[in-house]
Amino acid sequence: MPFTSARDTRVHYEVDGQGPGLVLVHGVGGDAEKVFGNVFGRFTSSRTVVRPNFSGSGQTSDDDAELTVDLIADQVSTAAQAAVDGPVDLLGFSLGAVAAAAVAATRPDLVRRLVLVGGWAHSTGPRDQYYFRTAAKLLAADRELFKRFSALTGFSAAALDRFGHDGLAYSLADAWPPPGIGRQLDLGGRVDIRPLLPLITAPTLVVGFAEDAMVPIDGSRQLSAAITDSRLVEVEGQGHMDWFADPSGLIKLTADFIHDPA
């Protein structure tokens, strides 16, 4: 179980495989295993896959102070440098996409190709403020209600029906969310990386989900519009977390992009 240090934090990360680096960054309430446990093995034959846990997830520890995009971006870049030599391909999901974009903007020497999945550029608008404040209030008041809210906004209606009554009951019994999710939610409501996006020079793939009620697809559109020569893929019929159940589509998009010689 490797660790490294970034600022005053002890950063836990997982590393598997061999070859050039591929870094996978989780989102709010996730961790290296929960989000990418059924993904990383598809790349380890040709890539050294690094899965950092930023503050609030996994075994990463800090002083419990307010989180910032700068901090979690530093945690991601430090883990990448500790695990592999040379530039890496970097994929971030949700808040991890925010962190990944910040790394690419501030450390262009470190990022070869960038994949932003279900991300957003800022959360200053009325809808996003309303969403994050509602989520925080539910988390503080009743964790089961928070889990129900997260499922209803995180998955499409079709995905929830596929889980069935038993699957949804099982999800309510799960130990999730982790204790650090409140700090991550707070940061999610304070995101504004718009000044950084024009600084990104790495070839970039932006993936958004058309049925996303947690992070509406307009967030992906804003990212793509602000990043020079980025490519936007809008996945029809899927919510924010539908790909957890079947990541094959995202794996193919990512593999095709990072292996593209152009």
Side-chain angles (χ1 to χ4, degrees):
M1 184 181 292
F3 289 85
T4 189
S5 296
R7 303 193 188 186
D8 295 324
T9 68
R10 188 167 184 253
V11 182
H12 166 223
Y13 64 95
E14 303 287 353
V15 57
D16 302 272
Q18 58 185 357
L22 171 63
V23 181
L24 308 176
V25 189
H26 65 83
V28 171
D31 60 38
E33 184 60 27
K34 183 175 280 290
V35 177
F36 295 112
N38 62 345
V39 172
F40 77 94
R42 298 287 293 272
F43 294 97
T44 50
S45 63
S46 61
R47 297 285 176 143
T48 299
V49 183
V50 186
R51 294 175 288 151
N53 286 303
F54 56 71
S55 285
S57 292
Q59 301 301 311
T60 293
S61 58
D62 59 21
D63 60 3
D64 293 327
E66 183 178 81
L67 297 185
T68 65
V69 172
D70 288 348
L71 173 61
I72 65 173
D74 280 354
Q75 292 173 334
V76 169
S77 60
T78 300
Q81 290 175 289
V84 293
D85 294 324
V88 301
D89 294 322
L90 177 58
L91 181 152
F93 167 64
S94 196
L95 186 59
V98 173
V103 172
T106 58
R107 292 293 311 275
D109 58 305
L110 184 60
V111 180
R112 191 188 76 96
R113 291 200 164 214
L114 178 65
V115 183
L116 305 177
V117 181
W120 71 100
H122 70 98
S123 44
T124 64
R127 181 269 170 198
D128 290 341
Q129 287 292 297
Y130 194 84
Y131 182 89
F132 280 104
R133 289 173 184 172
T134 299
K137 286 179 179 292
L138 286 172
L139 178 66
D142 188 316
R143 292 177 80 82
E144 180 177 314
L145 287 180
F146 172 78
K147 291 166 80 167
R148 289 176 180 269
F149 176 77
S150 297
L152 286 168
T153 59
F155 293 96
S156 67
L160 292 173
D161 281 338
R162 284 194 295 271
F163 292 157
H165 296 296
D166 290 343
L168 292 172
Y170 179 83
S171 72
L172 283 178
D174 188 80
W176 188 87
I181 192 174
R183 297 165 68 210
Q184 296 173 352
L185 274 174
D186 175 72
L187 174 56
R190 292 184 284 107
V191 164
D192 191 350
I193 58 169
R194 286 175 290 184
L196 295 178
L197 299 177
L199 304 178
I200 295 174
T201 56
T204 301
L205 173 67
V206 180
V207 180
F209 303 105
E211 300 301 317
D212 197 335
M214 182 174 279
V215 181
I217 196 167
D218 190 54
S220 291
R221 292 169 180 163
Q222 290 176 10
L223 289 172
S224 183
I227 299 172
T228 303
D229 294 330
S230 64
R231 174 189 169 205
L232 174 63
V233 174
E234 299 190 8
V235 181
E236 296 296 327
Q238 289 199 19
H240 195 64
M241 301 186 295
D242 286 20
W243 66 272
F244 287 6
D246 179 9
S248 59
L250 180 60
I251 288 170
K252 185 178 188 309
L253 282 171
T254 301
D256 288 349
F257 180 68
I258 66 175
H259 293 128
D260 186 348

